[in-house]
Amino acid sequence: MFIHSVTNLAINKVFSANRLLNSPIGITTHRYNREGWAIVLKVKGKTIYTVGDEIVLSDSLHPVILPKGCSYSWKCIEPGECIIIEFEAENTETTFASFEINDNSLLVNNFSKIEKSLSTKKMCHRLECNYYLYEILLFLLKSLKQEHPHSKKYFALKPAIKYITENYSDSRITDELLSELCGMSNVYFRKIFASVYGTSPIKYLHNLRIEKAKAILRSDFETIEQVALSVGYNSIFHFSKMFKQYTGTSPSEYANNSSPYHNNDYRISKR
């Protein structure tokens, strides 16, 4: 499976680095709505993950990323050591990711460094753990082949992505507009977009808008209405509804908890 959202991961905290040995063979275990993110490498042996209709084999050269909120099942088909790094990150995507690598030494070595850092809790250990984890993520992203099966589709969708990126503050963006830019029918455009990005064009747009809004709310701003208009929402109600849907909190709560400028001092204009 291919993942687009890994490039946008902002790591908050590494919780644990665990080693699992001798998992029962042939027993299927289900996991629903995963609480946090994880990178898993089967150092020895083989495990099969099932996500929806897709089956992914994980072994020493095929690590996987399990996103927060995803549901899947897994079954060990060949016993051996499995290492898991659990972490929290800012990202609303829930797309399972599998990678093919030629050498797992960086993952194994960085896992050991994170494991040691978490156990000793020396000065700056959280920053150190984040650093080693970012190294792993960068290594995995670089391992992706240039000629990916989705390459032609990505190229075909470029006009839509470019337009969304440059005009996300325009509240008039629709599937129809984006499909016309790509020279496709609306139905085909949405189908191709979902196959590549794992979400619909409008959800992709909303996600971008919310990420932009979060950045503004962490900075200095005048009113929630100003933030809403800046990212393409004409009403505070709609903006607040979408923000809570994607983040689990209201814009004002997020601002108060995240920004040094707005501790209990946000303002909502009702013009």
Short mmCIF file of all heavy atoms in Angstrom, two decimals, residues 36-62:
data_model
loop_
_atom_site.label_atom_id
_atom_site.label_comp_id
_atom_site.label_asym_id
_atom_site.label_seq_id
_atom_site.Cartn_x
_atom_site.Cartn_y
_atom_site.Cartn_z
N GLY A 36 -2.74 4.93 18.87
CA GLY A 36 -1.60 5.76 18.49
C GLY A 36 -0.91 5.22 17.24
O GLY A 36 -1.32 4.21 16.68
N TRP A 37 0.12 5.92 16.80
CA TRP A 37 0.89 5.49 15.62
C TRP A 37 1.95 4.46 16.02
O TRP A 37 2.37 4.41 17.17
CB TRP A 37 1.59 6.69 14.99
CG TRP A 37 0.69 7.64 14.29
CD1 TRP A 37 -0.16 8.55 14.86
CD2 TRP A 37 0.53 7.79 12.87
NE1 TRP A 37 -0.83 9.26 13.89
CE2 TRP A 37 -0.42 8.82 12.66
CE3 TRP A 37 1.11 7.17 11.77
CZ2 TRP A 37 -0.81 9.23 11.39
CZ3 TRP A 37 0.73 7.58 10.50
CH2 TRP A 37 -0.22 8.59 10.32
N ALA A 38 2.39 3.66 15.04
CA ALA A 38 3.44 2.69 15.31
C ALA A 38 4.19 2.34 14.03
O ALA A 38 3.62 2.34 12.95
CB ALA A 38 2.87 1.42 15.93
N ILE A 39 5.47 2.08 14.19
CA ILE A 39 6.28 1.50 13.11
C ILE A 39 6.66 0.09 13.56
O ILE A 39 7.17 -0.10 14.67
CB ILE A 39 7.55 2.33 12.85
CG1 ILE A 39 7.19 3.69 12.27
CG2 ILE A 39 8.48 1.58 11.90
CD1 ILE A 39 8.39 4.56 11.96
N VAL A 40 6.38 -0.89 12.71
CA VAL A 40 6.60 -2.29 13.06
C VAL A 40 7.57 -2.93 12.07
O VAL A 40 7.41 -2.78 10.86
CB VAL A 40 5.27 -3.08 13.06
CG1 VAL A 40 5.51 -4.52 13.48
CG2 VAL A 40 4.25 -2.41 13.99
N LEU A 41 8.56 -3.64 12.61
CA LEU A 41 9.48 -4.40 11.76
C LEU A 41 9.60 -5.81 12.32
O LEU A 41 9.96 -6.02 13.48
CB LEU A 41 10.87 -3.75 11.73
CG LEU A 41 11.92 -4.52 10.92
CD1 LEU A 41 11.60 -4.49 9.43
CD2 LEU A 41 13.32 -3.98 11.17
N LYS A 42 9.28 -6.77 11.48
CA LYS A 42 9.43 -8.18 11.84
C LYS A 42 10.88 -8.56 11.54
O LYS A 42 11.24 -8.89 10.40
CB LYS A 42 8.46 -9.03 11.02
CG LYS A 42 8.36 -10.48 11.47
CD LYS A 42 7.44 -10.64 12.65
CE LYS A 42 7.17 -12.12 12.94
NZ LYS A 42 6.25 -12.30 14.06
N VAL A 43 11.76 -8.47 12.53
CA VAL A 43 13.19 -8.70 12.32
C VAL A 43 13.44 -10.12 11.83
O VAL A 43 14.27 -10.36 10.95
CB VAL A 43 13.97 -8.44 13.63
CG1 VAL A 43 15.47 -8.66 13.39
CG2 VAL A 43 13.71 -7.01 14.11
N LYS A 44 12.71 -11.07 12.41
CA LYS A 44 12.78 -12.46 11.96
C LYS A 44 11.35 -13.00 11.90
O LYS A 44 10.51 -12.63 12.70
CB LYS A 44 13.61 -13.31 12.92
CG LYS A 44 15.09 -12.96 12.93
CD LYS A 44 15.85 -13.88 13.86
CE LYS A 44 17.34 -13.54 13.88
NZ LYS A 44 18.09 -14.42 14.81
N GLY A 45 11.11 -13.90 10.96
CA GLY A 45 9.78 -14.46 10.81
C GLY A 45 8.91 -13.66 9.87
O GLY A 45 9.38 -12.75 9.17
N LYS A 46 7.62 -13.98 9.82
CA LYS A 46 6.70 -13.33 8.89
C LYS A 46 5.34 -13.13 9.56
O LYS A 46 4.85 -14.01 10.28
CB LYS A 46 6.52 -14.16 7.62
CG LYS A 46 7.80 -14.37 6.82
CD LYS A 46 7.55 -15.18 5.57
CE LYS A 46 8.85 -15.56 4.86
NZ LYS A 46 9.60 -14.39 4.42
N THR A 47 4.74 -11.99 9.28
CA THR A 47 3.39 -11.68 9.76
C THR A 47 2.56 -11.14 8.61
O THR A 47 3.08 -10.40 7.76
CB THR A 47 3.43 -10.63 10.90
OG1 THR A 47 4.07 -11.21 12.04
CG2 THR A 47 2.03 -10.19 11.30
N ILE A 48 1.30 -11.50 8.56
CA ILE A 48 0.38 -11.01 7.54
C ILE A 48 -0.59 -10.01 8.17
O ILE A 48 -1.21 -10.30 9.20
CB ILE A 48 -0.41 -12.15 6.89
CG1 ILE A 48 0.50 -13.00 6.02
CG2 ILE A 48 -1.56 -11.61 6.05
CD1 ILE A 48 -0.19 -14.19 5.37
N TYR A 49 -0.67 -8.84 7.58
CA TYR A 49 -1.64 -7.82 8.00
C TYR A 49 -2.77 -7.76 6.97
O TYR A 49 -2.51 -7.81 5.76
CB TYR A 49 -0.99 -6.45 8.10
CG TYR A 49 -0.08 -6.29 9.29
CD1 TYR A 49 1.28 -6.62 9.19
CD2 TYR A 49 -0.55 -5.80 10.50
CE1 TYR A 49 2.12 -6.47 10.28
CE2 TYR A 49 0.28 -5.65 11.59
CZ TYR A 49 1.62 -5.98 11.47
OH TYR A 49 2.45 -5.85 12.55
N THR A 50 -4.00 -7.64 7.44
CA THR A 50 -5.14 -7.48 6.56
C THR A 50 -5.82 -6.15 6.88
O THR A 50 -6.23 -5.92 8.03
CB THR A 50 -6.15 -8.62 6.72
OG1 THR A 50 -5.49 -9.86 6.46
CG2 THR A 50 -7.31 -8.46 5.74
N VAL A 51 -5.91 -5.29 5.87
CA VAL A 51 -6.54 -3.99 6.02
C VAL A 51 -7.60 -3.87 4.94
O VAL A 51 -7.27 -3.75 3.75
CB VAL A 51 -5.51 -2.84 5.87
CG1 VAL A 51 -6.17 -1.50 6.19
CG2 VAL A 51 -4.33 -3.08 6.79
N GLY A 52 -8.86 -3.93 5.32
CA GLY A 52 -9.92 -3.92 4.32
C GLY A 52 -9.82 -5.15 3.45
O GLY A 52 -9.81 -6.29 3.93
N ASP A 53 -9.68 -4.94 2.14
CA ASP A 53 -9.57 -6.05 1.19
C ASP A 53 -8.12 -6.37 0.84
O ASP A 53 -7.86 -7.25 0.04
CB ASP A 53 -10.33 -5.71 -0.10
CG ASP A 53 -11.82 -5.56 0.14
OD1 ASP A 53 -12.33 -6.26 1.03
OD2 ASP A 53 -12.46 -4.75 -0.56
N GLU A 54 -7.17 -5.65 1.43
CA GLU A 54 -5.76 -5.82 1.06
C GLU A 54 -5.01 -6.62 2.11
O GLU A 54 -5.24 -6.49 3.31
CB GLU A 54 -5.11 -4.45 0.87
CG GLU A 54 -5.77 -3.60 -0.21
CD GLU A 54 -4.78 -2.73 -0.93
OE1 GLU A 54 -3.66 -3.20 -1.22
OE2 GLU A 54 -5.12 -1.58 -1.20
N ILE A 55 -4.09 -7.47 1.63
CA ILE A 55 -3.25 -8.28 2.50
C ILE A 55 -1.80 -7.88 2.29
O ILE A 55 -1.31 -7.79 1.16
CB ILE A 55 -3.43 -9.78 2.19
CG1 ILE A 55 -4.89 -10.19 2.45
CG2 ILE A 55 -2.49 -10.62 3.02
CD1 ILE A 55 -5.18 -11.63 2.08
N VAL A 56 -1.09 -7.63 3.40
CA VAL A 56 0.30 -7.17 3.33
C VAL A 56 1.18 -8.10 4.14
O VAL A 56 0.88 -8.42 5.30
CB VAL A 56 0.42 -5.73 3.88
CG1 VAL A 56 1.89 -5.30 3.91
CG2 VAL A 56 -0.39 -4.77 3.03
N LEU A 57 2.27 -8.55 3.54
CA LEU A 57 3.24 -9.39 4.22
C LEU A 57 4.31 -8.51 4.87
O LEU A 57 4.89 -7.65 4.22
CB LEU A 57 3.89 -10.36 3.24
CG LEU A 57 5.04 -11.21 3.81
CD1 LEU A 57 4.52 -12.16 4.88
CD2 LEU A 57 5.74 -11.98 2.70
N SER A 58 4.56 -8.73 6.14
CA SER A 58 5.61 -7.99 6.85
C SER A 58 6.71 -8.96 7.28
O SER A 58 6.44 -9.97 7.93
CB SER A 58 5.02 -7.29 8.07
OG SER A 58 6.05 -6.65 8.81
N ASP A 59 7.94 -8.66 6.88
CA ASP A 59 9.09 -9.45 7.30
C ASP A 59 10.27 -8.51 7.51
O ASP A 59 10.08 -7.30 7.67
CB ASP A 59 9.41 -10.56 6.29
CG ASP A 59 9.65 -10.03 4.88
OD1 ASP A 59 10.00 -8.83 4.72
OD2 ASP A 59 9.51 -10.81 3.92
N SER A 60 11.49 -9.03 7.49
CA SER A 60 12.67 -8.23 7.83
C SER A 60 12.94 -7.10 6.85
O SER A 60 13.65 -6.14 7.18
CB SER A 60 13.91 -9.13 7.91
OG SER A 60 14.18 -9.74 6.65
N LEU A 61 12.40 -7.18 5.64
CA LEU A 61 12.63 -6.14 4.63
C LEU A 61 11.33 -5.43 4.24
O LEU A 61 11.30 -4.71 3.25
CB LEU A 61 13.29 -6.73 3.38
CG LEU A 61 14.70 -7.32 3.59
CD1 LEU A 61 15.24 -7.88 2.29
CD2 LEU A 61 15.65 -6.28 4.16
N HIS A 62 10.28 -5.65 5.02
CA HIS A 62 9.00 -5.00 4.73
C HIS A 62 8.38 -4.45 6.02
O HIS A 62 7.46 -5.05 6.60
CB HIS A 62 8.03 -5.98 4.06
CG HIS A 62 8.45 -6.40 2.69
ND1 HIS A 62 9.28 -7.46 2.46
CD2 HIS A 62 8.17 -5.85 1.48
CE1 HIS A 62 9.50 -7.58 1.16
NE2 HIS A 62 8.83 -6.63 0.55
#
